[in-house]
Amino acid sequence: MLTKAGDLGDKKLLEHVQNLTPKLKQITIFASDLCNYRCSFCHIWGETGWALKEPQRVIKEQLDIDVIKKFMDQVLEANPKIGVIITGGEPMLYKSFTELVEYLRSKKVTIYLLTNGSLIKNKIDLILNNVVALNISIDGPEEYHDSIRGKGSFQQICENIELLIKEKKKRKRMFPFININMTLSKYNYQSAKPFLSSLRDRFSNEKIILHDTMNPWVKPRDLSVNFWPLLFTTREKGKQYAIEMKELLDCDVSPAWEGFVEEPIGIDTIRLKNDLEEIWETEGVDSSNFVDVEEYFNNIENVFGRSKCLAPWHELIIRRTGDVYPCVDFPDYKLGNIHESSFEEIWTGDKVTKFREVLKTQNLNVCNRCTRLFADKESY
């Protein structure tokens, strides 16, 4: 669950950002946007997803493995201890997925893999040998999940998880940590309450715990489960974002923000809040620092003390074309391209410096419900 700002929030966070020295700690790689699912709420391939406007180009373009390796060599020379998130689309559909994972691990990079779980079966050995944390999307009990991601997908993913856990136990491995993420949306919020029990019925021989955001690695488990409220924006905020990007950064934005528009939100937020509070109490999880989910969905102006985003000082986003961005979900303000520019040119160049200066004074209109706004400095 998303959390409110801790000690470093509101005015303290504003002051912190003014003198923050850029230090790269994380790279997120969208090596391909290919996906074998068409999830209803997905901002890429869903009902309002941006990829639907240019599907053939999205399908054709994939990151050049030799170019990303060369770029990462430069990154790691300057920043040997970083984490890399591999995501998509479905990242295992990337044509050079195995080579990318093995290369990164050979450089002692900490790898986090975000996946829909459908292709794990054929990559078990690769995952066990290289990945530290595996985040798998399951959107409720079977009926709800399949209505969002496709008939039969729930059982397919669960069978893959079973195979992975079995082999992990056989080899007596600690890693990867396996986390199931349920994105709470209008399509499935009614199923939050029975979700844990349905998983425990399905994985009757495994220990399943509720992910504790404040103490994520303390309790032993075979699986952890996290409830994640849908990231969203409004059409008005999206339009204002387009205007401010042009005025402040001379940037014409892509249609990406349109994929996040949810109007109306379509959730009985009082019911969802009550259900989640009951779950946390039953599971013995301290929810005092979690965001109020009713307020989260009904008042987009409330950022829960998270007055600034730290991501541009600690992270780069690499897309399938080699374009590099400071924002994980909005491929708009391009800092450079790894085919043309070195890491140093991108990380210290005029464009990224200008972007950081803008964010020192204000957040952008689409920031309020972005995942990186809810990341603490310890997250990087």
Side-chain angles (χ1 to χ4, degrees):
M1 176 55 68
L2 299 176
T3 58
K4 297 175 285 188
D7 293 336
L8 189 62
D10 294 317
K11 186 177 178 180
K12 288 184 179 179
L13 185 53
L14 290 171
E15 294 170 350
H16 174 76
V17 167
Q18 301 312 308
N19 300 306
L20 190 56
T21 301
K23 172 63 177 175
L24 185 67
K25 298 181 181 181
Q26 180 170 287
I27 284 184
T28 296
I29 300 177
F30 292 80
S32 161
D33 286 310
L34 291 171
C35 193
N36 52 338
Y37 286 169
R38 293 294 181 266
C39 307
S40 311
F41 57 75
C42 178
H43 65 278
I44 300 176
W45 290 106
E47 293 174 353
T48 59
W50 58 263
L52 299 178
K53 297 178 175 62
E54 46 181 6
Q56 293 306 314
R57 187 161 73 88
V58 173
I59 290 169
K60 182 180 179 181
E61 294 172 344
Q62 296 194 46
L63 195 60
D64 186 300
I65 187 62
D66 292 326
V67 176
I68 186 61
K69 286 163 73 172
K70 180 180 177 181
F71 185 78
M72 287 303 300
D73 283 343
Q74 299 171 14
V75 170
L76 293 166
E77 184 177 351
N79 307 270
K81 295 182 179 180
I82 65 166
V84 171
I85 298 173
I86 305 177
T87 185
E90 169 46 53
M92 293 188 216
L93 288 173
Y94 171 48
K95 61 183 179 181
S96 302
F97 175 74
T98 297
E99 186 175 353
L100 175 61
V101 169
E102 290 180 340
Y103 159 77
L104 290 172
R105 195 65 197 124
S106 74
K107 300 293 185 178
K108 296 182 171 53
V109 170
T110 301
I111 300 173
Y112 307 91
L113 180 60
L114 277 57
T115 173
N116 64 31
S118 63
L119 303 175
I120 289 173
K121 181 178 180 179
N122 297 323
K123 299 291 184 182
I124 288 178
D125 194 62
L126 181 74
I127 291 169
L128 287 175
N129 289 334
N130 299 285
V131 176
V132 169
L134 186 67
N135 211 43
I136 303 169
S137 299
I138 298 182
D139 292 313
E142 184 171 4
E143 176 186 352
Y144 285 88
H145 175 90
D146 282 3
S147 70
I148 294 170
R149 296 181 181 260
K151 187 173 178 59
S153 58
F154 179 87
Q155 289 300 336
Q156 180 187 31
I157 295 165
C158 289
E159 288 168 8
N160 287 342
I161 293 172
E162 282 179 326
L163 291 171
L164 181 62
I165 292 175
K166 180 180 179 181
E167 192 62 26
K168 182 181 172 184
K169 288 181 175 180
K170 180 180 177 181
R171 301 188 193 188
K172 299 180 180 179
R173 296 288 181 85
M174 176 182 291
F175 301 113
F177 289 110
I178 306 171
N179 182 62
I180 291 173
N181 194 71
M182 179 183 179
T183 300
L184 299 166
S185 71
K186 62 185 177 184
Y187 301 101
N188 67 350
Y189 76 92
Q190 304 99 322
S191 70
K193 196 171 176 181
F195 184 44
L196 271 173
S197 60
S198 72
L199 286 176
R200 285 173 175 146
D201 289 340
R202 181 61 180 77
F203 297 96
S204 57
N205 295 322
E206 318 302 344
K207 184 174 180 58
I208 300 177
I209 67 167
L210 188 62
H211 179 77
D212 187 341
T213 310
M214 305 307 296
N215 300 286
W217 314 118
V218 174
K219 298 178 182 178
R221 88 296 298 271
D222 295 307
L223 292 171
S224 60
V225 178
N226 188 30
F227 293 100
W228 191 267
L230 183 71
L231 306 173
F232 71 99
T233 192
T234 65
R235 189 157 298 279
E236 180 58 30
K237 279 199 163 290
K239 291 177 179 178
Q240 290 301 314
Y241 165 68
I243 292 170
E244 66 189 352
M245 288 293 284
K246 187 65 176 178
E247 291 179 347
L248 297 172
L249 296 162
D250 194 26
C251 173
D252 295 312
V253 304
S254 71
W257 66 265
E258 297 178 26
F260 288 91
V261 173
E262 293 288 333
E263 290 180 320
I265 201 68
I267 294 174
D268 182 343
T269 54
I270 296 176
R271 172 183 170 175
L272 178 59
K273 177 180 178 178
N274 291 337
D275 286 351
L276 290 175
E277 288 178 348
E278 185 175 331
I279 292 169
W280 294 325
E281 183 177 359
T282 301
E283 297 294 319
V285 171
D286 180 5
S287 62
S288 59
N289 201 44
F290 292 172
V291 301
D292 182 318
V293 73
E294 183 183 2
E295 183 75 3
Y296 174 89
F297 281 118
N298 292 330
N299 182 8
I300 198 170
E301 300 302 332
N302 186 347
V303 293
F304 303 95
R306 295 187 175 278
S307 52
K308 284 292 159 198
C309 175
L310 302 176
W313 284 266
H314 298 309
E315 183 177 17
L316 286 177
I317 315 300
I318 302 174
R319 291 279 175 171
R320 67 183 191 277
T321 57
D323 289 339
V324 182
Y325 299 92
C327 295
V328 68
D329 287 320
F330 300 98
D332 296 321
Y333 187 73
K334 187 171 78 171
L335 304 178
N337 185 289
I338 65 173
H339 291 261
E340 303 163 355
S341 304
S342 69
F343 162 67
E344 189 66 21
E345 289 169 338
I346 291 173
W347 185 243
T348 63
D350 292 341
K351 292 205 72 174
V352 72
T353 300
K354 185 175 182 179
F355 189 80
R356 290 174 185 138
E357 287 301 313
V358 168
L359 258 67
K360 282 182 180 180
T361 59
Q362 68 180 81
N363 287 338
L364 302 170
N365 268 276
V366 292
C367 291
N368 290 27
R369 292 298 179 263
C370 174
T371 180
R372 294 304 188 265
L373 188 71
F374 288 88
D376 297 307
K377 64 184 181 70
E378 294 83 8
S379 302
Y380 291 102

